[in-house]
Amino acid sequence: MHQTYSLNLVGEYAANCCTFGTEFFNFLQALYTFFSASTYRWEILSDYLTNSKNKTVKRLSDTRWAARHEACSSLSQNWTELLKALNNFVENPIENSKTKCKSTGLIKKMNRLEMCILVSFWNDILERFNSTNLRNTFSHHEKLAMEKSEIKEYKVVRKKKRKVPYDESYSLLSELRKCKSCYDDINTMFEFFSNMIDLPVIEVRKKATKLQSQYPEDLNGSFINECIHFHGYLKNLPEIVSPKSILELCKMVEDHNIAGVYPYVDIALRMYLYCPVSNTSAEWSFSVLKRVKSYLRSSMNDNNV
């Protein structure tokens, strides 16, 4: 591989130190650029390269000198066909002037003895460069190595699993902690409903006042008095039908048809029970929103959405 790289450097500097060499390789690239500029030009060229031995024009490469050999060999083998294809563009009356001008310039360069000599000269040199390339003899060396080592398979390289960066895991853990903290705060505010029967009236008033201050738009000021009256209502219920959880409490309000008597208590109970569902639906909405509002469609207007 080192030998191939060294030969590439030798060939590159040998070509660049000579003006004729630089012009020659620029001509090879210009020839490829002209025919590959459109499918129409490429089809015209293909019509003239009907022989199976003909090679189509090739582009150059700065690091792969085999590509230069292919381009030079193609020009050497298809010299007559390329001239005919270029003359076709010049003689075509419906062809635009820009294409005719480029074709004429390429024809003038090909109709020079110096260009023909450079094609023959560089074709021989690049053929030796290409034959020295070790990549072309890899299969031969591979066969010898298998015979010597008696190993027929390559070593299997284990794929490394992607490790989650510290900042990603920390961010995920931080978001989960924030979510848990919010649910803990909600449970703290609404938990007095689950053991309201065992609480004194002063504690019920204190808890109800705190909850009403958190949701002033949903719970009216009469919510505090409703909680006190509802506390007395629960005290008078038989122990066998006394609710043990907030869910049972909400069902009892509906079954006893007392939602009209304690409307804000009913609202508070439903707010607590619907909170996880409403939170999940919001997260679903944002997940689905990514399909519509992507980074390519970041403007939320009617035309884009």
Side-chain angles (χ1 to χ4, degrees):
M1 189 65 67
H2 178 70
Q3 182 183 6
T4 304
Y5 178 72
S6 300
L7 285 173
N8 287 338
L9 290 179
V10 171
E12 181 180 357
Y13 285 108
N16 291 335
C17 70
C18 177
T19 305
F20 289 104
T22 304
E23 292 179 356
F24 172 71
F25 287 112
N26 289 339
F27 170 75
L28 289 180
Q29 184 62 34
L31 199 64
Y32 172 81
T33 303
F34 174 79
F35 285 107
S36 63
S38 66
T39 55
Y40 166 70
R41 296 180 185 178
W42 197 265
E43 289 176 357
I44 295 295
L45 175 63
S46 300
D47 292 339
Y48 285 95
L49 302 179
T50 55
N51 194 338
S52 59
K53 296 182 179 180
N54 293 127
K55 298 180 181 179
T56 185
V57 290
K58 304 291 184 179
R59 69 181 184 90
L60 303 184
S61 175
D62 294 333
T63 57
R64 183 174 171 268
W65 271 76
R68 295 177 181 256
H69 170 256
E70 293 172 358
C72 187
S73 176
S74 172
L75 177 60
S76 178
Q77 292 183 8
N78 306 322
W79 184 271
T80 305
E81 289 79 2
L82 289 172
L83 278 175
K84 291 180 180 179
L86 292 172
N87 281 315
N88 179 76
F89 293 107
V90 176
E91 297 172 358
N92 192 348
I94 62 174
E95 199 66 57
N96 59 68
S97 58
K98 187 176 181 180
T99 303
K100 289 184 177 182
C101 182
K102 290 183 178 180
S103 301
T104 304
L106 294 174
I107 292 173
K108 287 182 179 180
K109 290 183 179 180
M110 292 183 68
N111 289 332
R112 292 168 51 194
L113 179 60
E114 293 86 347
M115 181 60 67
C116 296
I117 294 175
L118 287 173
V119 171
S120 177
F121 175 77
W122 278 107
N123 189 44
D124 291 343
I125 293 178
L126 294 175
E127 184 179 0
R128 298 304 306 156
F129 268 85
N130 189 47
S131 61
T132 312
N133 196 333
L134 297 180
R135 293 181 182 178
N136 298 334
T137 61
F138 176 77
S139 58
H140 171 69
H141 294 292
E142 182 185 36
K143 182 179 179 181
L144 293 178
M146 288 183 177
E147 293 176 354
K148 181 179 294 186
S149 63
E150 297 182 355
I151 300 174
K152 304 299 181 182
E153 296 180 357
Y154 289 94
K155 180 181 178 181
V156 179
V157 180
R158 296 179 59 186
K159 294 183 179 180
K160 295 183 179 180
K161 294 184 179 180
R162 177 181 177 269
K163 295 182 179 180
V164 180
Y166 174 76
D167 55 346
E168 292 184 12
S169 58
Y170 178 78
S171 177
L172 177 60
L173 183 60
S174 177
E175 293 298 325
L176 291 175
R177 286 175 177 172
K178 289 180 181 179
C179 186
K180 181 180 180 300
S181 177
C182 293
Y183 280 120
D184 290 340
D185 293 340
I186 293 175
N187 287 329
T188 302
M189 289 187 294
F190 285 89
E191 67 177 353
F192 74 97
F193 281 110
S194 59
N195 58 346
M196 180 178 284
I197 299 177
D198 302 329
L199 295 177
V201 177
I202 298 177
E203 190 68 20
V204 173
R205 181 184 294 274
K206 181 180 177 181
K207 297 285 187 179
T209 303
K210 183 178 179 181
L211 181 60
Q212 191 274 333
S213 64
Q214 292 292 329
Y215 303 97
E217 296 181 359
D218 300 307
L219 303 177
N220 198 356
S222 60
F223 169 72
I224 302 171
N225 291 330
E226 282 188 15
C227 288
I228 296 174
H229 295 163
F230 188 65
H231 172 263
Y233 179 83
L234 295 177
K235 283 280 189 178
N236 296 325
L237 289 177
E239 186 176 355
I240 191 173
V241 296
S242 179
K244 301 296 188 296
S245 64
I246 296 180
L247 179 59
E248 293 180 0
L249 197 63
C250 186
K251 289 181 178 180
M252 186 208 70
V253 172
E254 184 178 357
D255 294 340
H256 291 196
N257 198 19
I258 57 175
V261 181
Y262 307 104
Y264 291 106
V265 172
D266 182 58
I267 292 175
L269 294 175
R270 293 179 182 274
M271 285 172 57
Y272 176 77
L273 294 175
Y274 292 165
C275 183
V277 178
S278 60
N279 186 22
T280 305
S281 62
E283 292 178 359
W284 285 347
S285 300
F286 281 109
S287 298
V288 175
L289 185 62
K290 291 182 180 179
R291 303 176 187 174
V292 180
K293 188 178 182 298
S294 61
Y295 68 96
L296 295 176
R297 191 181 294 166
S298 59
S299 180
M300 294 295 291
N301 54 45
D302 294 337
N303 294 330
N304 290 342
V305 176

